[in-house]
Amino acid sequence: MNYSIQPLTETRVVRRRAARIALVAAAGFVLLTAALLLSVAVGSTSMSISSVLAALLHEDGSRTHGIIRNIRIPRTVVTALVGANLAVAGALMQAVTRNPLASPGVFGINAGASVAVVFVTVTYPFVTGGYTVAAAFAGGAAAAVVVFAMASAFKGAHMEVNLALTGVAIQAILSAATQALLIFNETKTDSVLFWLAGSVSGRKWEHVQTLLWWGIPALAIAFALGRSASILSLGEDMARGLGQRVWKTRSLITLVVILLAGVSVAVAGPIGFVGLMVPHIVRYLTGADYRAVIPLSALLGAVLLLLADLASRFVLFPYETPVGVVTALIGTPYFIYLARRRRKEGNGE
C-alpha cells in the first residue's frame, strides 16, 4: 500500500499545478479583454464601451467609428503584440541563460536595435518598415554577441551578474551612440525622439501588419520551444543528459529572442522591463515549466503593456507620455530588488 503513496502525491501535485495554470490563464484572458476595451475607449476624448463594440461589429461611417477603427484599434493591437513579444523574449532569455535578470533591455538588445534603426532612419529617411525591421534585427544581434562575448571574458563564478552588468554597460554605450546620431542629424530626427522613449502613440495598421508578419511566426516558434527551454533551464549538463542539442537549441532560441525584440523596437521603440518583470510574475504564479510560462508570459505581457499605456495617458493629461516612461518607473525598482536578492543568494546570506 505504501508503494502507491508517492505516485498519488505526484498526481495531486500535477493536478493542482494544472488547475493553477488554468486559473491564471482564465484570469489573464479576462484582464486582457478588459484592457483591450479600455485601451480603445479611453483617450483625450473618452468613448463608451457600447460605441467601441458597435464600431467593431458594424462601421456606420461616423467620425467616432472612424477614430476607433483607424486610430485607437491599431494602437491597441500594436500595444498588445509588443507586450507579448517582449515578455516572451524575456522568458526565453531567462531560461537559456538561467539568469533571472535577463531581458532584451537589460542585455542591450533593445539598445542595439535602437541605434541601428536611428542610423538607418537618418541615413535613408524614406526606408520602409521591412528595412527598419531588418536593421533592428541586425543591431540587436550584434549587441547580443558583444554582451555575451565580453561577459564570458570576465573571470568570476557569477556569470549571470557578469551578463547583467555587461549588458547595462553596452546599453549605455549604444545609447550614447544613439544620442550622437540625434545631435549630428537634428533636422532629420524630430519624429524619432518620441519613439526613442518607447511609444505606441500614432501606430497605424501598417505597424500592425509588420508585427503580424514578423512577430506571430516568432511567437509560434517560441511556444513550440517551451519544452526545450525548460530542459535548458536545468543546466547544460542536465540538458545534454536528457538528449538536448544544447548549442542548436540555444542558437534557435537566441534567434527568436532577437527577432521578437527587434520587430518590437522597430515599431514601438525601446520599451524596457516588460521582458524582465512578466516572466517572474508568471513563474511565481504557475511554476517553472516553460511550456506554460511562455504562452502565459505572452498573455500577461500584453495585459501589462496595455495597462501601462492606459496609465501613460493620465501622466500629463491630455498630452501623451511615452509608455516606456511608465514601464521604466515600474521596472527599475524591480530590477534593483532582483539584483540585490541575487547578490544575497550568491553570498549565502
Side-chain angles (χ1 to χ4, degrees):
M1 186 173 182
N2 291 336
Y3 293 104
S4 63
I5 294 177
Q6 185 174 355
L8 182 59
T9 303
E10 291 178 352
T11 300
R12 287 177 178 173
V13 171
V14 170
R15 288 178 178 174
R16 288 176 181 174
R17 185 176 299 165
R20 191 161 60 246
I21 291 171
L23 180 61
V24 172
F29 277 112
V30 172
L31 287 173
L32 179 62
T33 301
L36 288 170
L37 290 173
L38 286 174
S39 179
V40 177
V42 175
S44 57
T45 301
S46 295
M47 301 176 183
S48 65
I49 299 297
S50 60
S51 297
V52 173
L53 294 176
L56 288 172
L57 297 175
H58 177 68
E59 184 179 9
D60 61 7
S62 65
R63 180 176 179 273
T64 298
H65 283 196
I67 292 173
I68 291 173
R69 280 179 166 258
N70 299 318
I71 298 177
R72 296 197 176 179
I73 291 179
R75 173 179 178 155
T76 297
V77 175
V78 165
T79 305
L81 290 175
V82 168
N85 287 352
L86 294 176
V88 169
L92 288 173
M93 288 189 71
Q94 290 171 17
V96 76
T97 63
R98 302 182 68 199
N99 182 357
L101 302 177
S103 73
V106 174
F107 275 17
I109 294 177
N110 284 358
S114 297
V115 70
V117 170
V118 171
F119 176 78
V120 170
T121 301
V122 300
T123 307
Y124 306 100
F126 302 104
V127 292
T128 61
Y131 289 105
T132 303
V133 173
F137 178 80
V145 170
V146 171
V147 169
F148 276 94
M150 290 186 64
S152 300
F154 293 123
K155 295 181 180 180
H158 304 295
M159 181 62 176
E160 65 273 12
V161 177
N162 289 342
L163 283 168
L165 294 176
T166 305
V168 171
I170 295 300
Q171 182 182 20
I173 294 171
L174 292 172
S175 297
T178 302
Q179 293 300 319
L181 285 171
L182 294 175
I183 291 171
F184 289 110
N185 297 274
E186 291 183 3
T187 59
K188 301 179 181 179
T189 56
D190 291 341
S191 61
V192 177
L193 294 176
F194 204 74
W195 170 88
L196 276 173
S199 175
V200 292
S201 177
R203 301 304 91 180
K204 301 176 182 178
W205 284 113
E206 63 190 66
H207 300 106
V208 175
Q209 185 178 9
T210 299
L211 285 168
L212 292 175
W213 182 257
W214 296 89
I216 295 300
L219 284 175
I221 297 172
F223 294 165
L225 288 170
R227 181 176 179 275
S228 298
S230 292
I231 295 174
L232 277 181
S233 68
L234 300 175
E236 287 191 17
D237 294 337
M238 181 69 74
R240 289 194 179 95
L242 294 173
Q244 190 74 42
R245 297 179 179 179
V246 174
W247 186 88
K248 182 179 179 180
T249 304
R250 180 174 289 165
S251 299
L252 180 58
I253 288 177
T254 302
L255 182 66
V256 172
V257 167
I258 294 170
L259 183 56
L260 288 170
V263 70
S264 299
V265 170
V267 169
I271 298 173
F273 295 105
V274 175
L276 175 70
M277 294 185 289
V278 174
H280 279 279
I281 296 171
V282 174
R283 285 196 299 270
Y284 175 78
L285 294 173
T286 66
D289 187 347
Y290 280 85
R291 290 174 294 182
V293 169
I294 291 173
L296 288 177
S297 291
L299 179 62
L300 296 187
V303 172
L304 175 63
L305 198 58
L306 284 167
L307 294 178
D309 182 43
L310 280 168
S312 72
R313 302 176 195 183
F314 295 96
V315 174
L316 294 172
F317 187 83
Y319 302 103
E320 287 282 352
T321 299
V323 66
V325 174
V326 176
T327 59
L329 289 173
I330 300 171
T332 300
Y334 192 73
F335 176 76
I336 295 172
Y337 160 74
L338 288 176
R340 288 177 60 85
R341 191 177 72 178
R342 292 296 295 175
R343 183 179 292 273
K344 289 181 180 180
E345 291 174 356
N347 293 333
E349 296 181 9

